[in-house]
Amino acid sequence: VTFKLTDAGDSNYFIEERNDVQADVPFILKREGVTLKDGVDADAIRLFFDFGGSPAGTHVKISKIYFEEAVVLNYDDAANLWKGVDDGSVASSFGYWFADDGWGELPNQPVATLDGNTYEITIPDGTGSSQWQGQFHIDTQLTASASKEYHFQLEMLADNDCPGVTIKLTDAGDSNFFCEGRHDIKADEPYVYTLKIATLKDGTDADAIRLFFDFGGTPAGTKVKISKIIFKEAQ
């Protein structure tokens, strides 16, 4: 099936592609950050399909069409609540718990630094290879409402491969979170994590926002930089 989102003249399009649609299986097409091919405005939008090759008598339902301007997140946006954490106008502190493979707490916990909008931490010797054995979190006095939606983004750079890094944006109790997932970070390649239209899982307000990382499995001596953190209400 041909899918084409275009102008009325069919030449200045956002997407033009063919996809196989299986019987009785919902097919979802989602594309983000697309632009008009010709770089000129479209005065009328056409959503075009071609079903050449589909069996006669096939019933097709097309639903839940969603088309919106892309949300571009910018660290210097005045609505970025995290800038207050970076400049010190919102109180914050660091927390750590690094353990060895036997779950014994390391005697020498790391010390993170903040320079401008960049947090840096070095993974200490003896850090274990399992999840939760390399915990670092930034505790803030930022609040979040359960009735609102938020955008979140950060950039991470490490000088070694970091497998399965946990990134969790949560309340101070660690249970009422926006996101909780693991991510593979490649050495010397900026990794950007973006979360849009996020809500608190438990449906209750957060009185203090915690940004939590776990580096269990990351090689000792790895220098990790976390920068350009964005946290803002979705409009």
Side-chain angles (χ1 to χ4, degrees), residues 5 12-15 32-39:
L5 183 63
N12 187 22
Y13 53 82
F14 291 100
I15 61 169
E32 295 182 284
V34 295
T35 58
L36 285 160
K37 178 181 72 72
D38 291 346

Side-chain angles (χ1 to χ4, degrees), residues 129-151:
S129 56
S130 298
Q131 189 182 24
W132 312 126
Q133 292 179 339
Q135 301 177 33
F136 164 58
H137 47 93
I138 306 168
D139 295 319
T140 82
Q141 294 302 306
L142 290 174
T143 62
S145 170
S147 64
K148 295 180 180 180
E149 298 173 326
Y150 295 84
H151 301 314

Side-chain angles (χ1 to χ4, degrees), residues 30-110:
K30 181 179 180 181
R31 299 291 180 264
E32 295 182 284
V34 295
T35 58
L36 285 160
K37 178 181 72 72
D38 291 346
V40 296
D41 295 344
D43 294 329
I45 294 294
R46 168 178 287 173
L47 180 54
F48 175 96
F49 304 89
D50 183 82
F51 296 100
S54 296
T58 299
H59 293 275
V60 180
K61 293 181 179 179
I62 302 162
S63 62
K64 299 179 182 176
I65 301 170
Y66 192 74
F67 179 64
E68 71 164 1
E69 290 185 19
V71 176
V72 178
L73 299 180
N74 183 348
Y75 175 81
D76 290 319
D77 187 337
N80 179 13
L81 301 172
W82 198 274
K83 286 192 73 175
V85 177
D86 291 346
D87 66 23
S89 59
V90 175
S92 66
S93 61
F94 298 148
Y96 317 89
W97 193 79
F98 281 72
D100 58 28
D101 276 320
W103 295 97
E105 184 175 3
L106 298 183
N108 297 312
Q109 297 290 301

Side-chain angles (χ1 to χ4, degrees), residues 183-227:
H183 310 266
D184 293 330
I185 313 300
K186 299 286 189 181
D188 301 318
E189 294 182 12
Y191 179 83
V192 178
Y193 175 69
T194 303
L195 178 69
K196 297 179 181 178
I197 316 296
T199 56
L200 286 158
K201 178 182 73 75
D202 290 348
T204 57
D205 294 345
D207 294 330
I209 293 294
R210 166 177 287 173
L211 179 52
F212 175 96
F213 303 90
D214 183 82
F215 295 101
T218 295
T222 299
K223 297 183 186 300
V224 181
K225 294 182 178 180
I226 303 156
S227 63

